[in-house]
Amino acid sequence: MATYVLVPGAGGRAWYWHRLVPRLRERGHEVTAVDLPAADDQAGLQEYADTIVDAIDGRDEVVLVAQSMGGLTAPLVCDRVPVDLLVMLNAMTPRPGETGGAWWDDTGQAQAMADQAAREGRTLPAEFDLRDTFFHDVPSEVTDEALAQGEPVQAAKPFTEPWPLAGWPDTPTVFLQGRDDRFFPLEFQRRVVSDRLGIPVDEMPGGHLVALSRPEELAGRLEGYRTRWAV
């Protein structure tokens, strides 16, 4: 039995994983979805990492899955406690010394998002649209439930701190990307991940929120990685 520890993106809500959790438990694993202190103005990357380390609580056979902004924090956890496998899912890949705030311009994310929209014949809305960018492939009832909770609060501190590691941890790492992600397009991620980690990017159908849109397929992908890579 493995322990899956699921790290959400900006806003830090464990709820993001609620459709995936039962599918992993059905396969006989322990699963912990982490709530991060995203609304706390005093909480930075180390406090996020503390929260995840506390959730791991000495368990072994850990598969750590990091969604989006969670990519800034999960490697810090791997540097502190044993993790068998790190899965970066539609994630931000930081460089040593880079702030999360600088990551966007450093990687060219905004231009990549605009170029992807143009290739698909879409016009980006004048104001950021959660439904259009994040929920375009999520079932309507799940989207309604998410938006009824209100937009999650994300304090700025984690984006202002230089990424503290000197390099990527030794933990085996795989990168899985939704090929329909409008926020972090697939080819953008291939470029960034190749440059920064030197590993390939696997792809699956789905947008930025694949744990909400395709939880069964995601569970299968994670299980495939676990059996192949985890010790």
Side-chain angles (χ1 to χ4, degrees):
M1 180 181 74
T3 298
Y4 280 94
V5 178
L6 310 178
V7 180
R13 288 178 178 167
W15 179 89
Y16 168 68
W17 301 105
H18 79 282
R19 302 191 75 205
L20 178 66
V21 167
R23 288 163 169 86
L24 293 174
R25 287 179 176 160
E26 287 167 0
R27 290 164 164 84
H29 303 299
E30 184 173 1
V31 186
T32 298
V34 183
D35 271 313
L36 296 174
D40 184 351
D41 290 334
Q42 303 305 309
L45 295 175
Q46 294 298 343
E47 287 74 21
Y48 286 34
D50 290 344
T51 302
I52 300 166
V53 169
D54 289 345
I56 292 173
D57 193 27
R59 293 173 175 86
D60 56 13
E61 297 186 43
V62 173
V63 178
L64 185 61
V65 185
Q67 159 75 17
S68 195
M69 181 190 168
L72 301 180
T73 307
L76 310 186
V77 176
C78 296
D79 194 53
R80 290 174 51 179
V81 298
V83 172
D84 283 22
L85 178 66
L86 170 59
V87 180
M88 300 279 280
L89 177 63
N90 293 345
M92 297 173 69
T93 305
R95 273 185 170 150
E98 181 182 61
T99 66
W103 181 90
W104 307 92
D105 287 341
D106 289 351
T107 59
Q109 181 272 340
Q111 187 63 54
M113 185 169 66
D115 290 346
Q116 183 68 19
R119 283 192 293 270
E120 295 176 353
R122 295 183 290 106
T123 300
L124 291 179
E127 295 185 6
F128 193 81
D129 186 324
L130 288 173
R131 286 183 182 270
D132 181 76
T133 304
F134 292 142
F135 291 94
H136 58 93
D137 66 328
V138 176
S140 58
E141 66 275 12
V142 179
T143 298
D144 291 344
E145 183 179 354
L147 297 182
Q149 299 176 47
E151 187 170 351
V153 176
Q154 176 56 61
K157 186 173 181 180
F159 288 102
T160 66
E161 299 175 321
W163 197 65
L165 298 185
W168 204 256
D170 291 336
T171 304
T173 302
V174 295
F175 201 106
L176 178 60
Q177 179 67 31
R179 72 170 65 106
D180 308 306
D181 191 340
R182 294 178 175 179
F183 194 51
F184 296 162
L186 175 61
E187 293 309 314
F188 161 80
Q189 290 284 50
R190 291 195 192 282
R191 170 176 57 81
V192 172
V193 174
S194 175
D195 179 49
R196 297 183 172 208
L197 297 183
I199 63 175
V201 171
D202 288 346
E203 64 180 87
M204 64 173 285
H208 195 64
L209 305 180
V210 290
L212 294 178
S213 62
R214 294 178 177 267
E216 184 63 33
E217 183 169 350
L218 178 56
R221 291 297 189 103
L222 295 177
E223 280 288 83
Y225 292 141
R226 181 188 63 81
T227 57
R228 179 180 178 187
W229 292 101
V231 176

